[in-house]
Amino acid sequence: MFPHELNDPRAFEIAQAMLEGFDKHYRLFRAASATAKQRFEQADWHGQQRAQRERIEFYDLRVDEAVALLEARYKTSELPSEVWQQVKLHYIGLLTRHLRPELAETFFNSVTTRILHHSYFHNEFIFVRPAISTEFIENEEPAAQPTYRCYYPSQDTLRDTFMRIVWNFQLALEFEDLGRDIDLVLKAVGEQLGAFRWRTNFQVQVLSSLFFRNKGAYIVGKVVNGFSETPFALPILHKEPAPGDAAPAKARGAKTDGAKDAAAARRLYIDAALFGEDELQMLFSFARAYFLVDMEVPSAYVQFLRSLMPRKPRSEIYSALGLQKQGKNLFYRDFLNHLRHSSDKFRIAPGIKGMVMLVFDLPSYPFVFKVIKDFYPPQKDTTREQIQSKYLLVKQHDRVGRMADTLEYTRVAFPRHRFEDELVAELRHFCPSLLEETGEDLVIKHLYIERRMVPLNIYLQEASPAQLAHAVVEYGNAIKDLVAANIFPGDMLWKNFGVTRHGKVVFYDYDEIEYLTDCNFRKVPAPRNEEEELSGEVWYHVNKLDVFPETFGPFLLGHPGVRDVFMAHHADLLDPAFWQTHKERILAGHVEDVFPYDPHKRFHVHDAAPALKVPEPQDRELPIH
């Protein structure tokens, strides 16, 4: 109920303390993102990975701090509802000129539900819908950096404009040959745009901050020409110095001593030019780690990125930018909206049932819901806590495009009448400790939500020979990408992988994953006698993390067509030496390159390439300078 007056001074103080807690969180979040540029320049790949991992934990730490502070000062868990209504209204007032109101509202929800111990689906004191618009937010201070920059090249200055775009990011390292790279970019632009007509509004719009992930930095923008907009991204990578190379001339702003000398010996290059919504979707995939981006106004970045990828939900864009709590909040709002406008029922998900997870879905909704069972078969030596730790590992790790991101929720209420009876019976049998039935609602106390994919085993059954061959090659590539990221998937059966709409194979069953460096890869010992040779059981000793790659074949390669393709492309996966070699490289500190785009998109950087020949205009319009 809306309060008639704001008459409790505690309400304003609580609202102000909550906003101060959020502002502290975003200061730390932004600092971790801003220093990514320095780590990139120093080739501190382990530091970059560590920052990505630690930044995920920032939010919950700040929520815990805010809850403890408010409880200590105001006994907030004992306050009447009238005070909480006033707190929310004061908070709205404080957000009217805030640069990040949507994130602050989500922080308010997190703190409030933690204090009140209410199930937030019935809580009238939180932001079920946004109260503050995020449209057209910009920092109006004179020294503030705009969200994106606009460049207006002529036909004669297009090359110089792209040179300026790169230099404006003020990277401390020199490029190996920026002129060569820009020629390659312009050649790709020409091939992408074709024989276009140069319109008077021709411009290039580029987001003001670089996007950092793994070993790359990405320039993200779009080319605007008339009513046509072409999204693009330019990945910038390090060229590793050859052994014995002397450090080149001093880079701008770099020191020439110690470790700085080693960094100065490095050069940068543009590795590719990515165009169009599909290629940007792959770059911002739900199966990849979150970017480190220095953003003053996150909603403005999301709005710009949605203009590049209109089919990508805002929730996924927020998550890709590292704001996964905001992504969760928006996802849940979208989910509630879908429930209101659909009538089909939740069901047990198609496919082979899991041993540790009960999986269900809603046919009209492109996600699956996964609940950890209360008990498991004897061969699954695990616990709920261990399974949750595996999912957290994946959340914090570089997913290299091969592990689906998961949204973790607690106390989610579903309308009971939307559940098939068979599914309810399964939940009651396998997950009674996580199930709560309250009148018209069915509450699940803990679950994970993942994007739905076609299970690879089902895909192979229905695939044409060409589709089967592609999927098997992709399966092997997925495993090798996971190896590069120091992940051993554990259970490598086809059913634990899915196929996305882009044809990518992605792993999604995490209860048996391990760090590759924790595993011991062994050859199967030779039998010592005839009895051991004929034994149907494993007769040699196996420790907990021992892995025998030779034994993968009988489980994976029963189908002749599958076996032929697999052995032609990925026979090395059955060799312990493959796994051991990668393990040793990772232990030695090497960070592998895993590219979020197809290899054929990469420039041959040492090949000469002609500059773009811009077509002559076919009308009398003059270009804008």
Side-chain angles (χ1 to χ4, degrees), residues 598-609:
D598 290 334
H600 76 270
K601 298 294 297 185
R602 302 187 65 200
F603 296 146
H604 296 289
V605 295
H606 294 292
D607 293 345

Side-chain angles (χ1 to χ4, degrees), residues 193-430:
L193 298 183
F196 67 93
R197 176 178 295 181
W198 195 284
R199 300 295 185 180
T200 56
N201 71 329
F202 188 95
Q203 60 189 280
V204 183
Q205 299 179 3
V206 179
L207 285 166
S208 296
S209 294
L210 288 167
F211 288 63
F212 296 96
R213 185 174 62 200
N214 200 1
K215 297 170 70 175
Y218 298 83
I219 297 172
V220 178
K222 59 184 173 182
V223 176
V224 179
N225 187 42
F227 295 107
S228 172
E229 296 187 358
T230 303
F232 71 86
L234 306 178
I236 300 173
L237 303 180
H238 279 246
K239 182 179 186 296
E240 302 287 344
D245 277 359
K250 180 180 177 182
R252 290 178 293 108
K255 296 183 179 179
T256 56
D257 60 337
K260 296 291 184 181
D261 273 344
R266 294 174 175 272
R267 296 287 191 160
L268 303 176
Y269 65 94
I270 298 174
D271 189 53
L274 312 177
F275 295 103
E277 181 179 2
D278 284 345
E279 292 193 1
L280 270 291
Q281 288 260 24
M282 296 294 288
L283 183 63
F284 287 84
S285 167
F286 66 91
R288 297 196 178 275
Y290 307 138
F291 281 106
L292 294 159
V293 193
D294 182 18
M295 301 173 291
E296 181 128 44
V297 184
S299 60
Y301 272 73
V302 171
Q303 181 176 342
F304 188 96
L305 290 168
R306 277 217 88 191
S307 74
L308 311 183
M309 302 172 285
R311 291 178 296 169
K312 195 168 189 66
R314 286 187 307 139
S315 59
E316 289 189 12
I317 297 177
Y318 271 104
S319 293
L321 296 175
L323 300 164
Q324 70 274 11
K325 295 295 183 179
Q326 183 65 19
K328 278 181 58 177
N329 191 12
L330 291 177
F331 176 89
Y332 193 68
R333 288 172 178 168
D334 290 340
F335 171 61
L336 293 178
N337 184 65
H338 182 85
L339 283 181
R340 282 192 293 270
H341 295 88
S342 61
S343 59
D344 53 336
K345 290 191 174 186
F346 291 96
R347 60 177 184 176
I348 298 170
I352 300 172
K353 293 182 179 180
M355 295 184 187
V356 302
M357 288 284 195
L358 191 156
V359 184
F360 63 95
D361 70 354
L362 188 67
S364 63
Y365 198 57
F367 292 85
V368 296
F369 303 79
K370 304 172 72 170
V371 186
I372 302 175
K373 295 179 179 179
D374 285 355
F375 54 91
Y376 325 107
Q379 61 266 41
K380 288 288 186 180
D381 182 17
T382 188
T383 65
R384 182 184 304 279
E385 291 72 26
Q386 289 174 337
I387 295 168
Q388 290 176 331
S389 71
K390 305 290 187 183
Y391 276 77
L392 179 60
L393 184 158
V394 172
K395 172 70 70 176
Q396 297 175 339
H397 203 76
D398 186 357
R399 295 188 294 279
V400 294
R402 299 299 188 176
M403 292 189 288
D405 193 14
T406 56
L407 300 171
E408 184 178 6
Y409 289 90
T410 57
R411 297 194 61 79
V412 179
F414 297 89
R416 169 63 179 84
H417 72 276
R418 296 289 296 274
F419 275 60
E420 292 183 352
D421 291 340
E422 182 184 4
L423 172 57
V424 175
E426 291 265 301
L427 287 167
R428 287 171 177 166
H429 176 70
F430 288 107

Side-chain angles (χ1 to χ4, degrees), residues 429-470:
H429 176 70
F430 288 107
C431 316
S433 71
L434 297 178
L435 194 64
E436 185 178 307
E437 299 183 61
T438 58
E440 297 180 353
D441 289 328
L442 190 153
V443 179
I444 298 179
K445 298 176 184 177
H446 182 264
L447 60 78
Y448 297 98
I449 303 177
E450 288 178 2
R451 180 169 289 278
R452 181 167 58 203
M453 292 172 274
V454 180
L456 184 53
N457 61 309
I458 294 177
Y459 182 89
L460 292 175
Q461 292 170 8
E462 302 171 350
S464 67
Q467 291 172 328
L468 181 145
H470 174 80

Side-chain angles (χ1 to χ4, degrees), residues 518-522 538 540-548:
D518 289 341
C519 298
N520 181 30
F521 297 97
R522 298 173 52 191
V538 175
Y540 45 89
H541 179 71
V542 180
N543 293 316
K544 181 175 175 59
L545 292 177
D546 282 352
V547 180
F548 299 88

